[in-house]
Amino acid sequence: MTVHIRRSEPQDAKAVKAIYECTNAYRGTLQLPCPSLASWESRLSNVPENVFSYVALLDDEIVGNLGLEICTNARRRHVASFGMGVKDHYQSKGVGTALLSQVIDLADNWLNLKRLELTVFTDNEKAIGLYMKHDFIIEGESHAYAFRDGEHASVYHMARIKSELKTQVNS
């Protein structure tokens, strides 16, 4: 199966909502269970200029979502952060890889971004492995970062810095 990536559209709200209704998607992100359709309709209808939202499709079904936000602070316009979710039954099928590859291409070749950063729960081994496969490194850890499943959970701060990649390759 080939994963197709495209920009999200307002009419994708119901399908994106379905992604974040999945246990792994809301548990592994800062989303809450039972998202409202109205909130997703609003988010996908009013995407700010500094935000890029993508969906991943398998056999014409939307199974993944990624949002990239470029920092608006003048001194951090070379930086973007992102978050993503994949439907539970489609994890480990290349959906996250396809979404991440799309965003890395956009960052490196079209937006002139130097740094991509994210937070990931320390127990999300699959996601950490995916990010490391794409040259992200763990820069630090925040303990009790977010409340999840009735307790506080820690996250890693990870980043991919474009110039360091070229230095590593040439070394």
Side-chain angles (χ1 to χ4, degrees):
M1 283 196 248
T2 302
V3 179
H4 297 282
I5 306 297
R6 66 167 170 77
R7 292 285 291 268
S8 63
E9 300 290 339
Q11 62 267 26
D12 297 331
K14 187 174 182 180
V16 172
K17 173 188 178 286
I19 294 166
Y20 293 101
E21 288 175 327
C22 295
T23 304
N24 289 333
Y26 67 74
R27 190 175 185 282
T29 65
L30 294 178
Q31 303 294 321
L32 291 171
C34 305
S36 78
L37 181 57
S39 69
W40 279 107
E41 286 172 341
S42 176
R43 285 173 81 170
L44 295 179
S45 295
N46 302 300
V47 178
E49 250 184 63
N50 65 314
V51 174
F52 296 83
S53 178
Y54 291 92
V55 291
L57 295 94
L58 273 174
D59 294 328
D60 296 324
E61 178 185 357
I62 294 175
V63 298
N65 168 253
L66 185 146
L68 175 81
E69 181 175 0
I70 300 171
C71 293
T72 56
N73 180 296
R75 295 176 63 188
R76 287 186 41 88
R77 287 198 182 122
H78 64 289
V79 178
S81 60
F82 68 91
M84 74 171 147
V86 175
K87 278 188 171 180
D88 287 359
H89 292 92
Y90 292 95
Q91 292 187 0
S92 300
K93 297 188 184 309
V95 176
T97 295
L99 284 164
L100 195 50
S101 296
Q102 174 72 35
V103 161
I104 289 171
D105 177 65
L106 180 71
D108 288 355
N109 299 313
W110 302 100
L111 298 176
N112 195 26
L113 296 174
K114 183 176 179 98
R115 178 182 173 88
L116 290 177
E117 55 190 28
L118 62 99
T119 57
V120 59
F121 286 107
T122 58
D123 62 356
N124 193 342
E125 294 174 10
K126 285 183 183 178
I128 293 165
L130 172 67
Y131 300 137
M132 291 181 135
K133 185 173 100 175
H134 286 86
D135 300 315
F136 284 79
I137 60 168
I138 296 172
E139 295 184 322
E141 182 176 350
S142 290
H143 300 281
Y145 182 83
F147 196 69
R148 176 186 71 172
D149 293 333
E151 60 188 31
H152 291 95
S154 299
V155 297
Y156 290 130
H157 299 277
M158 297 184 77
R160 176 186 181 274
I161 302 173
K162 187 177 174 184
S163 65
E164 289 182 8
L165 294 172
K166 289 182 180 179
T167 304
Q168 291 171 359
V169 170
N170 293 330
S171 297

